[in-house]
Amino acid sequence: MLSPSSPGMRIAVLLFAAVVLGTIVWGGLSRFTRKKEGTKAEPLVHSPQVPIPVVDRTLLARVKDETKIQRFTNEPEAYEHLLVTATRIVPGTLRAMGLPEEPIPPDTIRRSPDLWRGKPLFYEGEVVFLKPPEPIPGMRDFQRTEGRLRTDDGETILFAVIEPIPEGITLGSFARIEGLFFKLRDENFPEKVEKAPFLVGPVLRRAFRKFPPVKELDPDLLATIRDGTDREAEIIEDLPFYHLCSWVANRPDKSKWRRSLPEIEREDAVHMVHADGTIPRGASFKIVAELLWVQIEAAEANPLRVDFWTKAWLYHPTIGTIYVKIPGRVSKTDWKTGDDVVVFGAFMKRYRYETGATNSLRPGDRYKDVPFFVSDDLLPLVILENEANVIFRAAVTGAIALLIIILGILVIKDHRADQELRRHILERRRKRRRASIRKPH
């Protein structure tokens, strides 16, 4: 059994102290690299579900466009059916229904119009004619606007949409129509056209003839961004947005660019939400925050040719909420609320959104202003081991080992000295005993 003063007990105490010290050093440094788990068990990211309207093929089979007389008229029942169907088309619906990647040549449609009746098609071209909006019988919330596009190949495409024509689209604008093919049409006004494909869709959208990858930011284009008023802050201007998305995605040395970005601070965000112009459009930052929500939604037609957008809402400990939009799907799909994330993005504008707060709260709680960023991905926060930590740990480990060796040597020397002292004392006792025996009484 070991006594408190025995060498074995001393060495045991030293080893215990070394283990405690090592645990403090290694464990204390490791706590800063521990990844926090999300607070929800269910992943946040889900594939978007889009409605697929039912097209009445029997009704469309009655549509005729073989003769000129047939092409001058619209079968009212079938036409109204497609207008009603257009109300159920949302971003991603036509793609789910088989929208082709490239426009189908009109001559292909003319050869077999029955094969394409009711199928999704799209064309892009210059707006050459727009009729005033007209009421649609039985549809109070929508109006019909008919018009024409002229493609770069000189083909005329007729269309009808149920949503208002966007403010930025006028005669001469380059636009895109996505819709369901109704029939071939002939018209004499304002110009004579024959066997022109007629599409019925939800809305006419802006299009872009060319949109090469953006290598440098265009300050003149970014200057068109407006967020000075609350109304302006609620709108994300499409062309500057696509410009920033392309620029962020086409950094020549993305890893070097990311390492060079400063981390966003509260002062930066204050300038952003006040829209005072201190932080320039396109200024890039590293954002380390907690994930509040992430959502993938089907994309409308766009010059980047992305099929989906990812929206992410982040919570920064000193800034609060930050809104980020990413072209495409995020590379990681098992996100959970509370996950630590990092975003490398470009600032676009102050963004104002409706919070959904009830009327019982203050009026100012109904809307919120947040910084809006464009990024190319949402990444998990991974804190790499610092080389200085490794060196420090190695040094401390070496010092602890050296201390154990030195103390062990000292304990052994002390033990030997103690044994020598005991031997010397025992020898003296033996001599005294022998002397007392020899002494005569």
Side-chain angles (χ1 to χ4, degrees):
M1 184 173 179
L2 295 175
S3 65
S5 60
S6 67
M9 178 59 74
R10 294 175 186 173
I11 293 177
V13 171
L14 288 174
L15 289 175
F16 176 75
V19 170
V20 172
L21 181 59
T23 301
I24 293 174
V25 172
W26 286 82
L29 291 175
S30 298
R31 65 187 294 267
F32 296 107
T33 62
R34 191 177 301 128
K35 189 178 184 301
K36 182 171 62 177
E37 296 296 329
T39 57
K40 280 192 176 181
E42 292 297 325
L44 289 174
V45 180
H46 300 279
S47 298
Q49 301 294 324
V50 295
I52 306 297
V54 177
V55 178
D56 190 337
R57 301 292 176 182
T58 302
L59 187 60
L60 292 184
R62 304 174 190 171
V63 176
K64 302 299 180 183
D65 46 14
E66 296 175 357
T67 68
K68 182 173 287 293
I69 294 177
Q70 292 171 340
R71 292 194 297 271
F72 266 108
T73 60
N74 288 335
E75 290 79 357
E77 193 175 357
Y79 188 26
E80 291 179 8
H81 169 67
L82 289 183
L83 291 172
V84 172
T85 303
T87 65
R88 304 188 182 103
I89 294 176
V90 301
T93 294
L94 294 179
R95 188 177 296 109
M97 294 177 67
L99 185 72
E101 293 294 328
E102 299 293 336
I104 301 300
D107 281 344
T108 302
I109 306 295
R110 295 182 185 109
R111 284 194 292 269
S112 305
D114 290 338
L115 295 178
W116 297 94
R117 196 104 53 208
K119 292 186 178 180
L121 299 174
F122 83 92
Y123 293 96
E124 295 180 346
E126 181 183 345
V127 179
V128 295
F129 179 64
L130 285 173
K131 288 184 179 180
E134 298 177 353
I136 304 175
M139 299 174 63
R140 293 184 179 180
D141 297 332
F142 300 95
Q143 288 187 310
R144 177 183 69 229
T145 301
E146 296 182 351
R148 296 183 184 181
L149 297 182
R150 181 174 292 117
T151 69
D152 289 341
D153 294 333
E155 293 281 359
T156 297
I157 307 298
L158 308 182
F159 65 84
V161 294
I162 59 173
E163 296 284 355
I165 302 299
E167 294 180 1
I169 297 180
T170 59
L171 294 181
S173 298
F174 196 68
R176 175 182 175 115
I177 177 62
E178 293 182 357
L180 302 177
F181 172 65
F182 176 28
K183 65 182 299 180
L184 298 176
R185 279 273 299 172
D186 286 359
E187 292 184 352
N188 289 328
F189 180 83
E191 293 179 350
K192 184 177 180 179
V193 295
E194 293 183 349
K195 295 184 177 181
F198 186 15
L199 275 59
V200 179
V203 65
L204 186 68
R205 303 194 185 281
R206 183 176 180 179
F208 305 86
R209 280 190 169 86
K210 292 182 180 180
F211 204 96
V214 177
K215 302 297 184 180
E216 294 183 5
L217 291 177
D218 183 349
D220 293 334
L221 178 58
L222 297 182
T224 63
I225 300 174
R226 297 286 184 268
D227 54 6
T229 67
D230 291 343
R231 174 58 182 162
E232 290 172 340
E234 295 174 356
I235 300 172
I236 298 177
E237 297 89 343
D238 56 357
L239 187 54
F241 171 69
Y242 297 141
H243 184 76
L244 279 175
C245 285
S246 180
W247 181 79
V248 171
N250 288 285
R251 297 295 80 223
D253 189 342
K254 192 166 294 185
S255 60
K256 181 179 179 181
W257 174 69
R258 287 174 173 176
R259 289 193 300 269
S260 68
L261 298 186
E263 199 162 330
I264 190 171
E265 298 180 356
R266 177 174 175 77
E267 184 179 356
D268 302 320
V270 170
H271 290 301
M272 292 174 184
V273 296
H274 286 168
D276 58 14
T278 302
I279 306 299
R281 318 287 185 186
S284 301
F285 293 88
K286 174 183 177 181
I287 304 171
V288 179
E290 289 186 7
L291 181 63
L292 292 176
W293 184 254
V294 61
Q295 177 185 10
I296 296 177
E297 64 178 16
E300 299 170 346
N302 61 84
L304 302 182
R305 294 184 176 273
V306 297
D307 294 336
F308 299 94
W309 296 108
T310 299
K311 296 179 178 180
W313 296 88
L314 315 179
Y315 179 79
H316 191 279
T318 62
I319 295 172
T321 305
I322 297 175
Y323 178 40
V324 181
K325 198 166 183 181
I326 301 164
R329 295 177 180 267
V330 288
S331 55
K332 175 179 163 69
T333 58
D334 57 344
W335 290 110
K336 302 177 183 64
T337 297
D339 280 349
D340 293 322
V341 299
V342 60
V343 169
F344 302 91
F347 168 66
M348 180 171 173
K349 67 183 300 180
R350 168 176 76 109
Y351 182 66
R352 184 176 178 85
Y353 70 99
E354 190 170 358
T355 63
T358 62
N359 294 331
S360 61
L361 298 178
R362 295 173 301 174
D365 292 337
R366 183 179 177 186
Y367 295 93
K368 190 171 184 179
D369 295 328
V370 298
F372 172 58
F373 280 83
V374 172
S375 182
D376 65 327
D377 206 351
L378 182 68
L379 304 171
L381 177 62
V382 179
I383 303 178
L384 301 178
E385 183 68 45
N386 193 319
E387 293 183 5
N389 287 350
V390 177
I391 296 173
F392 177 70
R393 287 180 176 179
V396 172
T397 302
I400 292 174
L402 182 60
L403 180 61
I404 293 174
I405 293 173
I406 293 175
L407 292 178
I409 293 174
L410 292 177
V411 169
I412 294 173
K413 290 180 67 176
D414 181 61
H415 176 64
R416 289 177 178 175
D418 183 68
Q419 292 294 327
E420 182 63 24
L421 179 61
R422 288 173 181 273
R423 187 188 64 76
H424 183 66
I425 292 174
L426 289 175
E427 184 64 27
R428 289 183 62 181
R429 287 178 180 175
R430 291 192 193 100
K431 288 181 180 181
R432 288 175 183 173
R433 191 177 297 113
R434 286 196 296 267
S436 64
I437 295 174
R438 294 183 189 136
K439 186 176 181 180
H441 296 285

